[in-house]
Amino acid sequence: MNTPTELADTSCGFIALVGAPNAGKSTLLNALVGTKVSIVTHKAQTTRSQVRGVLTLDQAQLVFVDTPGIFAPKKRLERAMVENAWGGAGDSDIVAFLIDADRGVTPEIETLLEGLENIRQPKVLILNKIDTVKPESLLSLSQTLNDRLRFEATFMLSALKGHGVQDFIDWCVKHIPPGPWHFPEDHLTDLTMAITAAEVTREKLFLRVHDEIPYNSTVETESFKIQKDGSYKIDQVVYVSRDSHKKIVLGAGGQTIKAIGAESRKELMAMYDVPIHLFLFVKVREKWADDPERYQEMGLEFPAGKK
């Protein structure tokens, strides 16, 4: 396998995907990399910290950064997520502003445009979910946004169906700076296996009980061990803030948590191609969203000040 130092004339760039919640950033990241590296649910603010997906093509390495959706934060966890998103944009080489074309210019988009004015990096506009909008509406939306902010290029695509994704990749390859690669060419993400496993289970948790428990629940991998037979033994904890939420996650006779575990185990086995022994525990921690250690586990800075 080639390493960055063995390659001549290599290029490497970080491309931040920013936008409002549920704009399709995680779906786009997975489409760009060609495999699932970021969890996807219909629940807003699913992505809590930056997730990097790596695409290596010939001499170019593209590091796409899926950032949390940017919105008006009210709680400490929400503030940490929004700060993380803007930090990802500020540290990148290119900022890709992703918009749900079907929603158009919302108050959230107005706020994002104001914030993007302070970002010095080159910016591109991505109109996502184009399969749900009439072409004339897309052109009008593109013109409106380009009149508001200077974009180097505009892309119209469907992250879910893959339409137009390659055009965006080709443009990025031509516009990232020269330099050594940051990751080995076979890397697809910078997430550890333990964090990836926790994210998969969190996705299954949200998909299963999203209508019954609030957003402030999380999953942590307490132990990730490779057994002598090559299988993985994974112990995870689902943290909730109330005992009533614990009962919902467990379900009658433990059926809900068993179903979540089965769905997570199935996906992890497909990802790692080894037997998975997954053990889930549910714990109540009333103020976990105010615990700095929990933020460190999620890859977030603990914001100072009031909640």
Side-chain angles (χ1 to χ4, degrees):
M1 181 183 73
N2 291 325
T3 62
T5 55
E6 294 170 340
L7 292 169
D9 302 321
T10 58
S11 59
C12 183
F14 286 73
I15 302 99
L17 308 177
V18 303
N22 276 0
K25 298 182 297 299
S26 296
T27 302
L28 177 58
L29 177 68
N30 294 337
L32 289 164
V33 178
T35 190
K36 184 173 180 177
V37 295
S38 190
I39 68 175
V40 179
T41 79
H42 49 280
K43 193 174 181 71
Q45 295 116 46
T46 298
T47 301
R48 287 179 171 168
S49 61
Q50 296 172 29
V51 178
R52 295 174 180 85
V54 184
L55 178 63
T56 303
L57 300 167
D58 297 324
Q59 305 297 89
Q61 186 171 84
L62 305 174
V63 185
F64 296 101
V65 185
D66 180 16
T67 64
I70 298 175
F71 57 104
K74 297 179 181 178
K75 299 179 180 179
R76 175 174 277 140
L77 175 58
E78 294 174 347
R79 285 194 289 122
M81 290 161 52
V82 171
E83 289 172 8
N84 186 270
W86 283 122
D91 293 339
S92 65
D93 297 296
I94 299 168
V95 176
F97 181 34
L98 197 67
I99 287 184
D100 182 336
D102 193 36
R103 293 183 195 165
V105 181
T106 64
E108 284 179 318
I109 297 302
E110 293 284 358
T111 301
L112 274 160
L113 286 168
E114 293 174 6
L116 285 169
E117 290 177 355
N118 301 316
I119 299 293
R120 58 177 178 78
Q121 284 85 349
K123 293 172 279 288
V124 298
L125 174 64
I126 296 180
L127 302 183
N128 189 27
K129 306 180 184 180
I130 60 170
D131 50 312
T132 65
V133 184
K134 294 181 179 179
E136 55 268 27
S137 298
L138 286 171
L139 293 173
S140 175
L141 178 59
S142 173
Q143 187 63 53
T144 297
L145 292 166
N146 276 278
D147 288 343
R148 288 286 306 276
L149 198 64
R150 182 177 183 273
F151 293 103
E152 302 295 325
T154 298
F155 300 92
M156 301 182 185
L157 55 81
S158 169
L160 185 62
K161 296 184 177 181
H163 301 158
V165 172
Q166 189 61 49
D167 291 338
F168 177 51
I169 292 173
D170 293 342
W171 186 92
C172 290
V173 168
K174 295 177 181 177
H175 291 83
I176 57 173
W181 294 350
H182 286 259
F183 300 95
E185 65 177 303
D186 58 349
H187 268 44
L188 297 175
T189 179
D190 67 337
L191 296 182
T192 65
M193 294 170 72
I195 293 176
T196 297
E199 287 290 273
V200 169
T201 302
R202 187 163 69 92
E203 178 187 67
K204 306 313 175 190
L205 171 71
F206 279 4
L207 290 174
R208 176 69 60 163
V209 296
H210 67 96
D211 287 331
E212 299 159 283
I213 65 170
Y215 174 70
N216 58 343
S217 58
T218 194
V219 178
E220 292 183 14
T221 298
E222 286 202 329
S223 173
F224 192 116
K225 296 180 179 178
I226 300 177
Q227 309 286 74
K228 290 182 178 179
D229 61 1
S231 64
Y232 297 165
K233 180 179 179 294
I234 307 171
D235 295 333
Q236 294 180 334
V237 177
V238 178
Y239 285 107
V240 294
S241 57
R242 297 179 184 177
D243 192 61
S244 60
H245 299 158
K246 178 179 179 179
K247 293 177 182 178
I248 292 171
V249 174
L250 288 173
Q255 291 305 305
T256 300
I257 195 67
K258 288 179 182 177
I260 292 169
E263 291 164 4
S264 180
R265 186 182 300 108
K266 180 180 179 181
E267 181 159 325
L268 290 170
M269 287 179 65
M271 289 174 66
Y272 297 133
D273 197 27
V274 298
I276 300 290
H277 309 288
L278 177 63
F279 300 91
L280 298 182
F281 307 90
V282 185
K283 295 182 180 180
V284 177
R285 182 166 288 177
E286 292 185 4
K287 296 184 178 180
W288 76 262
D290 296 322
D291 182 355
E293 188 175 338
R294 305 278 77 76
Y295 284 69
Q296 184 177 2
E297 290 288 340
M298 290 186 284
L300 294 170
E301 291 286 336
F302 184 75
K306 60 182 182 179
K307 296 181 182 178

